[in-house]
């Protein structure tokens, strides 16, 4: 299902998703009920669409930023338990509210400000350019947008197809964490290795590194963007500094150094450039085959 | 968006948080009409801490002293910023000074209440004694009392301090703030509370639904005599650096990666511009083209610029708009200084874009590493 | 607490719900300074429906007609109530008229959105076509769209009507309302919406935290030329009836039971007074005694009164305060008309109270049925 | 635990509850931490009290009306799952909020505006005057305050002691329904018969009558107050009328006639006066013994 199908982004991407093979059963756009968009029926309300098209697993949301919370709550109230929020600029207060409701209802929320999910060759739930992706066994999870495409393209060109690829969102408050997706990829039978793409700012990669040590068995390689950016350009306001300091995280959280150190501790090889990722994958897959052969 | 102290105090006042009588001073002569009795404190209104140590806060006893002090403060830069406004405020005798704040804990995705019994100017001590309470469900005043107790407060102060926190939280929630801070919150010998200084940071993404906050920004006369600080990468502001390669990308991660690769390969960026992600709700071909053109114009103002590296990839409209914008730009530039372009375009409409740029004789790349190598060789 | 139409519209306006230009008329002469262009509608501001049918709404074309019409309306009682204020409002050409409301569903313990495509004066039709949506979790605008669809609205009206409902809900929540109703909500031929009449009922228990609403009540000059209607039993107002037995009890259930038993045994109550439950947070011995004494004084004003039946039971302080209040009352009354008391007191400090009342020679009962029998025999 | 122990009502009733035998482990009153009230230790915060006194089953709340919601949420956040709200005058919006949270956390809320619960001879959680109650086998559930005492007194004097007696609250929005308590009493081993005390207004008795038909096996007798009160004195505002009408309940909901008719349909004998309740109990207990003997 696509909420906001008549919005600028929705009307571009919904047909692309439909063409890719994901079954786009319905589009939602209040006031446009009864219309069609390239063969996709449009409804005024989510619950109305469900009455007509039956069970829907996932809703991809393209509505304007201040309407994202409402669209997501509408989908959750209608029983949909997977949401992809593409829209950029959702206020943090709305995301906090949504995260509380999502936790209580066990809803998986991807985004906001993200390209969504692609299972190459099968289904597209978001904006990933299909041409960069090929089916395969590498799980790709990223905190970036277009950089995810870049990495996927490098992987595909080097013969590393993807089992699932997704961007969890570039905003500071997002619906699902690296940890959740590392766990999903770790359990996914199609996935043999995981590529993690991070960037400076926030403590996402540091927390993910700790989680990899604790819970992830499959090999992970990583790329971190922003290693050469002067620090003053990305540190947040005083409150954020205070926040990370009193949380015992220290001043250095969020820097490339901090992230790389944490990932190294988790024995995650780190690429110097996206084009180096295939080499690292070859290495970890080789040694992991050895390890499995041993055990 | 940061508010100035006097703006934050206006919001405190509306919310029922006690603040001292004060008056906004736009010019030293305004002090002649001062309605607050002396002694008075004059405070430089700049977006930064450490004003006291820098000499931006002065106590004055009469009009003559006040006008002189105001002139001094107006001409005193604090971390490079000059005040457009001063705040004249009554003096207050504090018995103790507390620190209180409500912030967003981005990582926990929850609001955080912060408090310390050691408020005031010594930030180190404040942070050392900082207590915190996560607001994990919908806020209720008991979260504020929880913080008051953790701070070690007792008796009537538990109620009075948590009542202030409650109001700070309401403000935080109603106005979509990233931060609301009172430091110091003075406690008088009679146990009365007074917010002596305050800081509010509004969330930029939410300003569109708070017209009152958005207009505050406009109200300040733009006399800040300093270059604008580089904004967050998500913004489309051009960020200037020291080198000679202009970089234009779409998306923060891709921009950072391109910068990283240029530096690593020995190049030196002159500036970079992030066109933003593809996920803006209202992205339109026109807006995108306009943004690219204006970005390129800004970039050309740098005299060191030797080459422009364009690296964009994505879906739909992007490639075509980028190619069109570059073409238009080059037409406009025809005759003036010619800076070579290295363009890396990957995406759906690549063929069309390639056609367009080939007629302009621009080197065109699929592969990022190759594009960077070419840009660096042109910059030498 | 019910608000008058013009007060409700003031709140609508603040919330961004469209209302017509209007002016409050306290006196017919005010119409000479009218700023709204004619034709104008004059509306009686009384707390009741059916004003139109009763002649409380008149269209006027000029000042002379307006003053005359205003005089008529000021002197026209509607279900016994005279207006203290009229509302002069611009005329509006409605293409259709909708009904919208947000109320509390006491039974489901949830807010309820109500809507009908048949708004306007015909209440029967409105109710017949009424649609409802329960707000079972925290409100979000999709609940409003859900109602709009159930009402059978289509196209742009889905968005515009649900936007109005959203604002009504905000008002409902922010101001602790029992009811917010727009009837009719006019739809113009261009699809524009206008709240032509509105009703707001504020929750009495919550008025203490909405000083703006509480002061609205005070602003209305009390010219209502009618007896106050009996209030809810939970209130301590004396309710007057037709008989000759005055009844004083504590708690609504006990008061009703006492009335029931008196009627059933052939007695006729003159009035009753409920002292209220024991669960008021701020109950104090002084307040309680004061309330009893004032209640008794009011009760004595009835010339038919032949006997007072006091029936209170409970814990702590109650018996003693009741006994003391009765004693004080009788002392004050000494010399004037003497009405016999039948007192039934049960509770902790019964012995002490019994002692006190025995010295006053009052018949005292443990058993309710016996007390009632005695009161009735004294009333014959 | 007693929240609001230094408030006027709290300071009167907490010692009475303590004396009755219920273990009042702690009192809460922000700003009064460290004090004692007749031997009961006072704390500033619920969670602080729990650290000191261990597990608490129930909190009885006496705080001022606008602080009831916060006190209740504080208790729920600290893990207490039974609340008695004595205070009168809690705004409905607060109760709606509380009911949502209570449902999600499976918390049993009694009140507001109620005398609470008494298990005669064992425990008092509220304001019931102990002298009117005796231990026994009649469950007493009431929507009134002082009238509950009156009924208990009549029962006790006639030799019908009570297993549990409670007032669920006189306000229009209350935390628990007749149905919930009928079910609890139906399942309670000590309880042999149930007395239901209602009054005019709301649809509580009508709904309870339907529930009795569906789910209650033990004999129920009832008393309804307000049979002679003229209707105009209790009907609510227009909104309530509309509400009950569109809910298909008709105009007559809330009248004594409607309640009595509903209860008669559920074969619940209705007392003409409180003092008649013991006779009705004797009858239903006799016939229920006969029925059990037969079956």
């Amino acid at each position: 299902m696509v909420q906001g199908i008549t919005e600028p982004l929705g009307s571009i991407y919904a047909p692309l998703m439909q063409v890719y093979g994901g079954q786009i059963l319905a589009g939602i756009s209040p006031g446009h009920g009864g219309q069609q968009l390239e063969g996709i029926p449009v409804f005024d309300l989510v619950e109305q669409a469900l009455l007509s098209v039956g069970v829907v697993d996932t809703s991809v949301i393209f509505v304007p930023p201040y309407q994202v919370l409402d669209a997501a709550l509408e989908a959750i109230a209608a029983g949909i338990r997977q949401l992809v929020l593409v829209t950029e600029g959702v206020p943090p207060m709305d995301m906090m509210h949504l995260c509380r409701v999502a936790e209580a209802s066990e809803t998986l929320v991807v985004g906001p400000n993200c390209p969504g999910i692609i299972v190459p060759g099968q289904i597209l739930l978001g904006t990933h350019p299909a041409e960069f992706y090929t089916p395969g066994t590498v799980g790709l999870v990223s905190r970036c947008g277009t950089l995810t495409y870049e990495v996927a393209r490098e992987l595909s060109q080097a013969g590393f197809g993807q089992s699932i690829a997704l961007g969890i969102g570039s905003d500071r408050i997002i619906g699902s964490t690296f940890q959740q997706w590392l766990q999903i990829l770790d359990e996914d039978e199609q996935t043999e290795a995981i590529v993690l793409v991070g960037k400076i700012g926030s403590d996402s990669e540091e927390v993910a590194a700790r989680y990899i040590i604790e819970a992830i068995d499959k090999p992970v390689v990583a790329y971190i963007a922003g290693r050469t950016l002067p620090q003053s350009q990305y540190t947040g306001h005083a409150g954020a500094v205070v926040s990370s300091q009193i949380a015992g995280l220290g001043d250095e959280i969020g820097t490339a150094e901090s992230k790389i150190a944490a990932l190294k501790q988790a024995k995650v090889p780190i690429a110097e450039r996206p084009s180096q990722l295939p080499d690292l994958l070859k290495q970890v897959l080789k040694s992991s085959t050895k390890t499995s052969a041993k055990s | 968006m940061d508010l100035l102290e006097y703006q934050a105090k206006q919001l405190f006042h509306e919310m029922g948080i006690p603040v001292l009588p004060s008056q906004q001073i736009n010019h030293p002569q305004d002090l002649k009409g001062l309605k607050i009795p002396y002694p008075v404190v004059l405070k430089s209104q700049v977006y930064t801490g450490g004003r006291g140590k820098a000499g931006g806060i002065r106590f004055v006893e009469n009009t003559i002293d006040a006008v002189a002090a105001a002139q001094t403060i107006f001409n005193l830069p604090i971390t490079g910023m000059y005040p457009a406004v001063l705040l004249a405020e009554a003096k207050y005798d504090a018995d103790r000074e507390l620190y209180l704040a409500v912030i967003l804990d981005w990582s926990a995705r929850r609001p955080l209440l912060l408090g310390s019994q050691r408020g005031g100017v010594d930030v180190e001590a404040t942070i050392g004694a900082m207590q915190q309470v996560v607001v994990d469900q919908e806020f209720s005043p008991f979260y504020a009392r929880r913080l008051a107790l953790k701070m070690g407060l007792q008796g009537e102060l538990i109620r009075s301090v948590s009542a202030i926190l409650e109001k700070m939280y309401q403000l935080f929630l109603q106005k979509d703030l990233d931060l609301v801070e009172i430091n110091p919150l003075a406690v008088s010998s009679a146990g009365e509370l007074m917010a002596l200084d305050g800081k509010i940071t509004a969330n930029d993404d939410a300003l569109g639904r708070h017209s009152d906050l958005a207009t505050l920004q406009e109200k300040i006369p733009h006399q800040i005599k300093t270059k604008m600080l580089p904004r967050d990468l998500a913004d489309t502001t051009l960020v200037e650096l020291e080198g000679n390669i202009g970089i234009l990308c779409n998306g923060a991660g891709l921009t950072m990666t391109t910068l990283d690769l240029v530096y690593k390969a020995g190049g030196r960026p002159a500036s970079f511009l992030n066109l933003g992600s593809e996920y803006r709700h209202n992205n339109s071909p026109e807006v995108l083209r306009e943004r690219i053109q204006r970005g390129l114009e800004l970039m050309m103002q740098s005299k060191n610029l030797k080459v422009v590296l364009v690296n964009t990839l994505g879906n739909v409209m992007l490639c075509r708009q980028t190619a069109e914008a570059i073409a238009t730009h080059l037409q406009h530039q025809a005759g003036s200084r010619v800076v070579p372009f290295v363009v890396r375009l990957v995406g759906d409409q690549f063929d069309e874009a390639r056609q367009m740029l080939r007629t302009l004789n621009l080197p065109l790349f699929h592969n990022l590493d190759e594009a960077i190598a070419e840009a660096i060789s042109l910059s030498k």
Side-chain angles (χ1 to χ4, degrees), chain A, chain B:
Chain A
M1 168 174 299
V2 171
Q3 285 175 269
I5 195 165
T6 62
E7 303 288 343
L9 290 179
S11 59
I12 291 171
Y13 289 105
L16 291 175
M17 287 159 62
Q18 180 82 316
V19 166
Y20 197 72
Q23 233 193 319
I24 305 301
L25 296 167
I28 310 295
S29 189
H32 295 266
Q35 301 177 3
Q36 291 226 335
L37 187 103
E38 312 226 354
I40 306 167
V42 179
F43 298 87
D44 291 305
L45 208 63
V46 171
E47 58 198 16
Q48 196 190 19
L50 297 193
L51 282 179
S52 168
V53 302
V55 177
V56 166
D57 301 318
T58 305
S59 182
V60 184
I61 297 178
F62 290 102
V63 302
Y66 297 168
Q67 293 168 27
V68 167
L69 173 63
D70 177 50
L73 293 177
E74 183 185 354
I76 292 173
I80 299 176
R81 290 292 172 266
Q82 287 193 72
L83 306 178
V84 174
L85 319 181
V86 173
T87 313
E88 180 186 338
V90 179
M93 225 55 93
D94 289 4
M95 279 309 298
M96 288 198 304
H97 183 156
L98 178 56
C99 287
R100 270 211 323 267
V101 176
E103 281 169 21
S105 60
E106 298 187 3
T107 303
L108 182 63
V109 175
V110 176
N113 192 11
C114 84
I117 305 172
I118 186 169
V119 180
Q122 292 183 44
I123 188 166
L124 170 61
L125 298 165
T127 66
H128 296 275
E131 57 199 293
F132 299 165
Y133 294 81
T134 51
T137 60
V138 174
L140 168 57
V141 57
S142 163
R143 203 155 69 83
C144 301
T146 44
L147 180 57
T148 316
Y149 312 162
E150 176 77 38
V151 167
R153 190 174 165 274
E154 292 287 357
L155 295 178
S156 292
Q157 288 196 334
F160 283 104
Q162 302 89 41
S163 51
I164 307 176
L166 83 153
I168 59 173
S170 308
D171 278 359
R172 287 193 284 185
I173 295 196
I174 50 177
S176 53
T177 59
F178 270 140
Q179 298 87 277
Q180 281 174 276
W181 283 98
L182 286 168
Q183 192 195 345
I184 290 168
L185 293 173
D186 204 40
E187 288 169 4
D188 175 54
E189 290 188 4
Q190 290 301 310
T191 303
E192 288 176 9
I194 300 168
V195 174
L196 184 148
V197 178
K199 61 177 180 182
I200 53 174
S202 102
D203 62 355
S204 308
E205 290 78 9
E206 286 86 341
V207 177
R210 285 204 293 272
Y211 185 74
I212 289 169
I213 297 175
E214 284 167 22
I216 300 301
D217 297 323
K218 292 182 183 169
V220 182
V221 304
Y223 173 74
I224 304 292
R227 297 166 75 153
T228 57
L229 216 64
Q231 190 171 346
S232 66
Q233 277 160 4
Y234 61 84
T235 46
H237 46 78
V241 175
V242 171
S243 159
S244 72
Q245 283 185 337
I246 55 158
L249 297 171
D251 266 330
E252 294 303 307
I253 276 295
T255 63
E257 291 69 33
S258 147
K259 289 171 194 305
I260 288 168
L263 288 166
K264 280 198 174 146
Q265 229 184 334
K267 301 200 172 111
V268 173
I270 297 155
E272 295 280 330
R273 61 188 69 230
S275 57
Q276 202 195 339
L277 283 165
D279 288 341
L280 295 183
L281 275 176
K282 270 175 216 156
Q283 289 166 25
V284 295
L285 282 168
K286 209 181 287 172
S287 68
S288 111
T289 317
K290 274 188 211 155
T291 318
S292 334
K294 267 190 227 165
S295 67
Chain B
M1 180 190 116
D2 288 318
L3 303 194
L4 289 167
E5 178 195 4
Y6 80 93
Q7 297 170 328
K9 284 185 171 168
Q10 181 58 38
L11 291 179
F12 289 165
H13 177 69
E14 286 166 17
M15 193 50 74
I17 296 171
V19 290
L20 289 169
S22 68
Q23 213 168 312
Q24 186 183 331
I25 306 297
N26 295 306
H27 190 274
Q29 299 308 318
D30 292 355
L31 284 159
K32 292 182 179 160
L34 197 66
K35 283 163 195 149
I36 310 159
Y38 287 94
V40 152
V41 189
L42 293 179
K43 299 160 103 176
S44 177
Q45 299 294 290
V46 287
Y47 297 102
T48 181
R51 293 176 303 174
K53 284 179 188 162
I57 298 179
R58 287 168 189 251
F59 294 87
V60 289
E61 300 282 349
N62 56 54
T63 308
I64 296 171
D65 289 356
V67 172
Q71 270 159 349
T72 310
I73 298 175
F74 271 116
N75 289 300
L76 175 78
I78 299 177
T79 59
M81 304 218 273
Y82 291 85
V85 175
L86 309 189
L87 186 67
E89 199 174 66
K91 249 188 106 176
Y92 193 75
D93 283 327
D95 195 45
R96 301 155 64 189
E97 296 194 330
L98 312 179
Y99 173 98
L100 293 181
V102 184
I103 64 171
L104 274 174
D105 182 337
W106 304 101
S107 181
R109 306 183 296 193
R110 293 289 191 273
L112 207 55
L113 311 181
L114 300 178
S116 165
Q117 282 224 44
R118 303 184 63 175
V121 286
D122 187 354
V123 178
E124 290 297 310
T126 303
I127 290 178
M130 194 72 86
Q131 298 295 324
Q132 57 173 313
V133 165
V134 179
V135 181
D136 53 358
Q137 294 299 316
E138 229 171 308
F139 179 81
S140 195
F142 74 84
Y143 285 106
R145 294 197 297 276
R146 198 182 272 178
L147 182 71
L149 275 177
K150 271 192 155 185
M151 286 168 67
L153 300 178
Q154 291 183 321
E156 194 44 43
L157 273 184
I158 295 176
R159 278 181 194 267
S160 57
V161 169
S162 56
I164 300 272
L165 261 167
E166 227 183 293
K167 288 169 183 163
M168 290 169 73
Y169 192 91
Q170 281 170 28
L171 199 59
F172 174 79
L173 196 71
Q174 282 173 18
K175 303 279 185 193
D176 275 297
L177 306 179
D178 285 351
L179 165 79
V180 49
E181 180 183 273
I182 298 179
N183 185 28
L185 176 71
V187 185
S188 76
S189 51
E192 280 172 358
L193 302 177
M194 188 63 69
L196 296 191
D197 195 0
K199 183 164 167 52
I200 284 177
T201 306
N203 187 273
D204 293 330
D205 282 335
L207 278 182
R209 60 186 184 193
H210 299 288
S211 54
D212 54 337
L213 295 182
T215 54
L216 283 185
Q217 207 167 23
E218 295 158 19
K219 276 186 193 158
I220 310 167
H222 280 289
Q223 299 181 11
I224 298 171
K225 297 161 192 165
T226 175
K227 280 174 89 176
M228 286 292 281
L229 288 174
R231 298 283 187 82
D232 186 83
L233 277 177
D235 213 314
T236 52
T237 318
L238 184 82
V239 179
E240 292 182 16
L241 299 167
E242 307 290 314
N244 56 14
I245 304 175
I247 293 173
L248 180 97
C249 300
N250 67 323
L254 191 67
T255 308
M256 291 194 252
T257 296
T258 309
L259 278 166
D260 288 350
L261 295 181
V262 167
Y263 276 120
K264 199 162 282 284
R268 291 178 307 119
S271 59
F272 64 86
L273 177 73
N274 171 18
L275 294 173
S277 76
E278 300 191 291
Y279 319 120
R280 299 205 177 178
H281 165 257
N282 53 354
N283 256 352
S284 74
E286 295 72 30
V287 168
L288 185 62
R289 219 158 46 216
E290 170 77 16
R291 227 187 283 158
I292 297 171
Q293 268 169 250
R294 253 197 298 156
L296 288 174
E297 280 164 28
L298 280 171
M299 206 171 260
M300 294 304 153
Q301 290 172 8
S302 157
K303 287 181 182 146
N304 299 326
L305 192 73
K306 281 198 168 166
V307 59
V308 175
L309 170 61
V310 177
N311 178 23
T312 55
L313 85 171
N315 224 319
V316 193
M317 78 176 181
L318 185 86
C319 288
R320 187 216 289 253
Q321 301 314 325
T322 309
E324 280 183 8
I326 293 172
T328 312
H329 173 80
L330 289 177
Q331 280 160 16
H332 288 176
Q333 291 277 316
S336 62
R337 183 169 68 114
V338 176
V339 175
F341 272 67
V342 174
V343 181
R344 190 243 186 174
L345 278 182
V346 200
D348 250 4
Q349 300 170 329
F350 184 78
D351 284 342
E352 204 180 331
R354 194 166 49 177
Q355 206 76 30
M356 195 181 298
L357 294 178
R358 194 142 285 165
T359 63
L360 299 167
N361 276 327
L362 292 186
L364 220 61
F365 295 84
H366 261 120
N367 182 287
L368 178 55
D369 293 345
E370 287 169 18
I372 285 171
E374 172 73 9
I376 289 174
S377 94
L378 287 171
S379 77
K380 296 289 173 181

